[in-house]
Amino acid sequence: MKQTAPDDIARRLGSGLLSFPVTHFRDDLSFDEDGYRENIARLGGYEVAGLFAAGGTGEFFSLTPDEVGRVVRAAAGEAPDGVPVIAPAGYGTAVAVEMARDAERAGADGVLLFPPYLTEASQDGLVAHVRAVCEATRLGVTIYSRANAVYQDTTVAELADACPNLVGFKDGVGDLELMTRVRSRLGDRLVYIGGLPTAETFALPYLEMGVTTYSSAIFNFVPEFALAFYAAVRACDREGVQRRLAEFVLPYCDIRNRGKGYAVSIIKAGMRIIGRPAGPVRPPLTDLTEGETAELTELVKRVR
């Protein structure tokens, strides 16, 4: 099983739009592997730089470690040749280490390291956490800075020196000064990924800081629009970006902001609207109401 070297995965991830597929569930909330595989094959057929299996949009937080392994294996088995698959790792350090090891066994090409579960951590604690995961795998690791794991620029630099296979920094905080400090201190050592909810909203200003890509959840159900938006960002087509923000992204965010956890729920609603249902979200998330789904349907009609 040939997997992508860390340096290569960094280059690939920074070269195009990143897809964060939903995880398909049946009505009884069990994993629908056939539906998931079909969707991975569909999304992988577009010009994407990577598929992130069981990520935030894929409800990583609701999956058991065994289910994470099943999802990653399904993605690795179904993704077209040349499309890297990135697996998640998270929770406590021991669990994250085992997930990183299993990602390698499953055929993934890289690891996205989520914040540790529940507890707060010092910067020294985060260093120890990330080092343990990086040392457990040969895969390239991207750290996700958000929630209780906000990495300071000096911490990222320390980790980059200590961990040759640390390849990426995903920002889910939106602190522009911190992002500028990280990018200024690390330069091209890492690939930088926009990771705020509906990252399209922030894509153009982040590009100015060297963040060449972002995680697109809307790609699940409006892939052509998502790719056109990304192309406008990379071309610095401000008029094109603003038009698409007004046409779809900002009204979409208005719906998303009405409920906690809707950043995932709205994607599954979009999948149902286009005739590719991925099942319900798992608790504690809740699905959109019928009225909200009707509003989203009208938005989707504008861009399809």
Side-chain angles (χ1 to χ4, degrees):
M1 184 182 298
K2 183 174 174 57
Q3 291 164 317
T4 309
D7 288 347
D8 289 339
I9 201 64
R11 177 182 56 79
R12 285 296 309 277
L13 295 180
S15 69
L17 187 65
L18 301 176
S19 171
F20 278 63
V22 294
T23 298
H24 288 55
F25 298 131
R26 301 183 183 92
D27 288 342
D28 65 0
L29 300 181
S30 61
F31 174 44
D32 177 7
E33 183 169 338
D34 290 342
Y36 181 76
R37 282 179 173 271
E38 181 181 346
N39 195 48
I40 290 293
R42 177 180 70 95
L43 297 179
Y46 290 93
E47 290 293 326
V48 291
L51 293 166
F52 283 67
T57 305
E59 298 180 69
F60 169 67
F61 43 81
S62 78
L63 300 170
T64 68
D66 178 67
E67 286 176 321
V68 169
R70 289 182 61 200
V71 172
V72 172
R73 283 168 173 79
E78 209 64 46
D81 289 344
V83 179
V85 171
I86 310 301
Y91 304 108
T93 303
V95 176
V97 163
E98 182 49 40
M99 283 185 168
R101 289 173 177 156
D102 190 58
E104 192 168 337
R105 294 191 294 264
D109 298 286
V111 171
L112 175 62
L113 180 57
F114 283 80
Y117 172 68
L118 190 60
T119 187
E120 291 76 19
S122 67
Q123 293 295 298
D124 287 344
L126 292 175
V127 167
H129 180 70
V130 176
R131 287 191 66 164
V133 172
C134 287
E135 290 168 2
T137 180
R138 295 169 295 176
L139 299 179
V141 176
T142 295
I143 54 175
Y144 195 179
S145 183
R146 63 174 291 180
N148 57 330
V150 177
Y151 298 88
Q152 298 301 310
D153 57 305
T154 51
T155 301
V156 181
E158 180 180 350
L159 285 166
D161 286 342
C163 306
N165 61 331
L166 179 66
V167 300
F169 179 88
K170 183 179 180 186
D171 175 54
V173 179
D175 183 333
L176 298 185
E177 179 181 341
L178 177 56
M179 188 67 236
T180 300
R181 287 181 179 276
V182 171
R183 181 67 176 81
S184 177
R185 186 177 290 273
L186 276 295
D188 293 331
R189 169 64 180 82
L190 301 175
V191 61
Y192 303 95
I193 301 171
L196 290 159
T198 317
E200 282 83 359
T201 311
F202 309 90
L204 199 56
Y206 263 43
L207 182 66
E208 299 293 331
M209 294 185 289
V211 182
T212 60
T213 187
Y214 52 84
S215 55
S216 179
I218 65 172
F219 181 76
N220 277 277
F221 67 99
V222 284
E224 290 86 1
F225 175 86
L227 287 167
F229 191 102
Y230 179 75
V233 170
R234 292 303 302 266
C236 293
D237 176 8
R238 297 181 184 279
E239 181 179 342
V241 170
Q242 291 301 324
R243 174 170 52 81
R244 290 177 175 90
L245 284 171
E247 177 185 34
F248 180 82
V249 176
L250 295 179
Y252 164 93
C253 288
D254 288 341
I255 300 171
R256 182 206 69 195
N257 291 341
R258 291 180 195 161
K260 292 184 182 299
Y262 266 17
V264 176
S265 307
I266 196 170
I267 304 302
K268 285 203 163 176
M271 296 290 284
R272 288 191 291 275
I273 288 167
I274 66 166
R276 295 183 177 275
V281 292
R282 278 184 175 175
L285 300 185
T286 55
D287 288 303
L288 267 62
T289 66
E290 289 185 8
E292 290 163 343
T293 300
E295 289 182 59
L296 181 61
T297 300
E298 293 304 311
L299 287 178
V300 172
K301 287 179 180 177
R302 295 183 192 176
V303 297
R304 289 195 81 203

